[in-house]
Amino acid sequence: MTKEEAQVRIAQLSHQLDEHNHRYYVLSHPIISDFEFDKLLEELIALEKQFPELLSPNSPSQRVGGAITKDFETVIHKYPMMSLGNTYSEEELRDFDERVRKLLPDDEIEYVCELKFDGVAIGLTYKDGELLRAVTRGDSIQGDDVTANVRTIGSIPLKLKKGDYPSEFEIRGEIILPRKEFDRMNAELADQLAEDGYSDEEINEQLYRNPRNTASGTLKQQDSAKVATRKLDCFLYALYGDGFPFKTHFESLYKAREWGFKISEHVKLCKTMEEVMLYINSWEQNRDQLGFDIDGVVIKVNNYRLQQELGYTAKSPRWAIAYKYRAQAAVTILNDIGYQVGRTGAITPVAHLKPVQLAGTIVKRASLHNSDQIEKLALRIGDTVMVEKGGEIIPKITGVDISKRPIEAVSVVYITHCPECNTELIRVEGEANHYCPNENGCPPQIVGRLAHFTSRKAMNIDGLGSETMDLLFRQNLVHNIADIYDLKKEQIAVLERMGEKSASNIIEGINKSKEVSFERVLYAIGIRYVGDTVARKLARHFKNIDALMEANFDQLIEAPEIGEKIAQSVLKYFADADKRKVLDRLKNAGLQFEIIQDEANLPLSDKLKGITIVVTGTFENHEREELKKLIELHGGKNGSSVTGKTNYLLAGADCGPSKLEKAEKMKVKVISEKEFDVMIG
Ligand code: IVH
């Protein structure tokens, strides 16, 4: 294909892909399958690879991300990004209406009511119908340029449809994270943390708090490819610029929708305050059906001329106001408190509630975190409690209505013994949780560890999930991870819901797991705080289990990314004679306990993806070649001389002046060995 032919085909494909993208993300009405879409996209990517000079920043291929932004550039807003006055009551809203009518006594007032999206404000500038820049609100005067990340958001058009818009204008809106995507991200994170050995309590603390903060954090990610994997969405609600072909806000939204923007369907023109109140109250009732969070309703004067006459205060427009909803709460009865024991022995108290409807779901349980929280709330069984879901995932008890306390309500006495094995609980200095120390005799801890060992990211033994592990444990067939390798087909075949076929598959899976690499075996054996990444680092540093077992504290913290907490935990694990015995049995069973040479060259991360570094001089902690290797292992490229393509000059002692001078001239940042270490984490 000639360059000219490629140019025509690229334009064709881009147009088609833009259309399909709009149908999928804005109209929710695709007319081709994902497979067909991917085929078109693959063709485009291949052509752009063949003719890189034909790649445009707004090509549909750029939506998958890849660009890395190290520091987000600060951009001054052409129009300050103001906020809105807030109200929580009908009375205040009526005051607003009166103020408006007083200032415009001769005009007929119409309001536009819109949902108040609970997300991150964004200003998108379009030039000649193409996305030029996307900037966050920042301090309202200046914000961060997050264009590379915003390009990955499917519902934001990179090229507009043909229309009568001015050559340059800005449109503002809110980037949101749909609740379904938020839940998916949390489920994935929880799985990962559970597999890494964190307790339920620790997992709860690390989960994404609410969709808004998560959207905001995502937008500030340096790696746009990561942003692309999280399905952010964006509703637009205000146009800024000169030469627009309309006179009212309502019309502007209609037009913007025609140009390709995603505008909410729930925009309503209201002539009276009664209509406005109806809109507010109905969305307060139905907000759970939206699929994303709103925190109120925005009421705007429709006519642009009247907006102009009303003008602005120092902080916000006089022509609009936000009616905010209160956090969603419910009142119910505390029936009981239950206690869960995690794989690590950590105890998590859980409130059992009389089922109550809250934010679209029926809530039966609320998290109580630990004994301190129960004490702080001074809870009694039978109490009437307030449960809130203020944008957070797990509902929490926020208060007790003591006036409703029944006389027979009993104080909560925190358990002193494990609910599963009756061992006396311990509380470690500085930690909020109680623990059951009976790691080798407490069933949920044992089964939890066994299931972790066989899990996908660990030994990946199909058919040996937690239910089967529980069964094998209760049948006295497996007590520790080494027992798995002594299992016989006949023992498995006779178990509930098993048979010859599934037993053979399990045995086959067990045998196959003997080929699993050392780093995954190290992860599988369940050393606290040694997740898959840490296991990989330890395996590559120490190369085999014997070296790791013999390492002292100082040697452990010398390994990359290993801190004191992990080092202590590794020492504790190997100091345990029972664990050593189990490891010996695993070795005899034929598991991999040393790194195969090839693994040493596997990538460590993609932190330096798309980044070229030139290394020069001598260094304190690493040999120069070692640094070059590290650059590659973290996905970066080594440059031999400073050029326009160089991102950083990694300069050690005794580096000649020429490279430094060149770096200065070409505005290439010079970094030290320490800064490099921070970069690769
Ligand atoms: S209009 C001059 N409309 O709420 C302000 N804002 O403090 C124009 N928001 O900063 C904003 N949904 O980030 C407008 N339908 C909507 C909105 C909305 C959410 C956000 C926006 C604004 C904040 C109000």
Side-chain angles (χ1 to χ4, degrees), residues 9 28 46 83 153 202 236 257 371 405 431 464 500 540-541 599 604 637 674:
R9 183 66 186 144
S28 304
S83 58
I153 301 176
E202 287 165 329
L236 283 317
R257 187 180 285 135
S371 61
R405 177 169 284 170
E431 283 194 32
L464 282 189
E500 284 291 315
R540 291 188 190 177
H541 186 80
E599 287 174 22
L604 290 169
K637 274 199 196 126
K674 249 209 182 105

Side-chain angles (χ1 to χ4, degrees), residues 361 393 456 579 640:
T361 48
I393 358 145
R456 187 178 38 83
K579 297 230 162 68
S640 50

Side-chain angles (χ1 to χ4, degrees), residues 82-84 114-117 121 137 174 237 240 298 300 317 319:
M82 291 192 158
S83 58
L84 293 170
E114 295 171 21
L115 303 177
K116 187 171 183 312
F117 306 100
R137 189 231 287 279
E174 206 82 357
Y237 48 63
Y240 294 78
V298 181
K300 303 172 180 174
W319 46 262

